[in-house]
Amino acid sequence: MANRHLSRSVALQSLFEWDVRGQKKNTLKSIVSHNLTEFAPGMEDTEFINDLVLGTTKYQDEIDKLIQEAAPDWPLEQITNVDRNVLRLGIYELKYAGAEDVPPKVAINEAIELAKSFGGASSGKFVNGVLGTIYKQMGEPRKNE
């Protein structure tokens, strides 16, 4: 399970860097590759990281709309880069990833832990609030799939 947490950390760092650099699609793979070497040397199974990063960027428009609906007092550009990308990653895993082996509450908890590790003092509470709102709106995800 520690590998999954490390994978999420690398995915977050990659999404953050990609966001800061202007979200150029042609740089995403090299950013992930660099961050794997830098933060997870020797990790053999990188499929989960690539799934998280590519899936998050694939559904980014829909994810960003969900963030705006769940946090209407926080325009997307005013949310810190770290919190915005933690939310994107968490929402992707919660709503779109379809990973039956990751219960929704685990996906939310992992996002909160990333926010606490990489974000500011209130990041964990903010991420928890937004993801909790989205989870409640979703009902029981993956039940009918």
Side-chain angles (χ1 to χ4, degrees):
M1 210 43 122
N3 276 348
R4 285 256 168 142
H5 184 73
L6 177 59
S7 295
R8 287 182 181 97
S9 295
V10 172
L12 172 62
Q13 291 168 337
S14 299
L15 290 167
F16 173 86
E17 184 176 342
W18 180 71
D19 194 17
V20 169
R21 287 185 174 194
Q23 298 185 1
K24 296 175 185 149
K25 290 278 184 195
N26 62 342
T27 63
L28 192 55
K29 286 185 181 181
S30 65
I31 289 170
V32 172
S33 177
H34 174 265
N35 287 337
L36 275 166
T37 304
E38 185 73 23
F39 303 116
M43 181 179 276
E44 293 177 17
D45 185 10
T46 60
E47 185 177 344
F48 184 59
I49 295 169
N50 288 313
D51 288 347
L52 290 174
V53 171
L54 296 176
T56 300
T57 57
K58 177 181 179 183
Y59 292 103
Q60 184 175 326
D61 290 340
E62 293 94 331
I63 290 169
D64 285 352
K65 286 178 188 169
L66 288 171
I67 295 170
Q68 291 169 335
E69 291 169 6
D73 294 338
W74 287 92
L76 202 59
E77 60 278 353
Q78 288 184 5
I79 298 172
T80 67
N81 286 345
V82 171
D83 292 354
R84 184 172 54 241
N85 284 289
V86 168
L87 287 169
R88 286 174 176 159
L89 185 60
I91 293 168
Y92 169 72
E93 197 165 5
L94 181 65
K95 187 167 174 77
Y96 298 101
E100 287 76 23
D101 59 328
V102 180
K105 291 184 180 182
V106 171
I108 293 170
N109 188 55
E110 284 290 324
I112 293 166
E113 291 305 314
L114 288 172
K116 287 178 181 178
S117 296
F118 293 98
S122 61
S123 292
K125 290 179 184 178
F126 178 69
V127 167
N128 185 31
V130 174
L131 292 181
T133 298
I134 291 169
Y135 178 70
K136 286 176 189 169
Q137 291 171 348
M138 288 171 57
E140 280 297 315
R142 302 187 192 118
K143 213 173 197 179
N144 298 326
E145 293 178 7

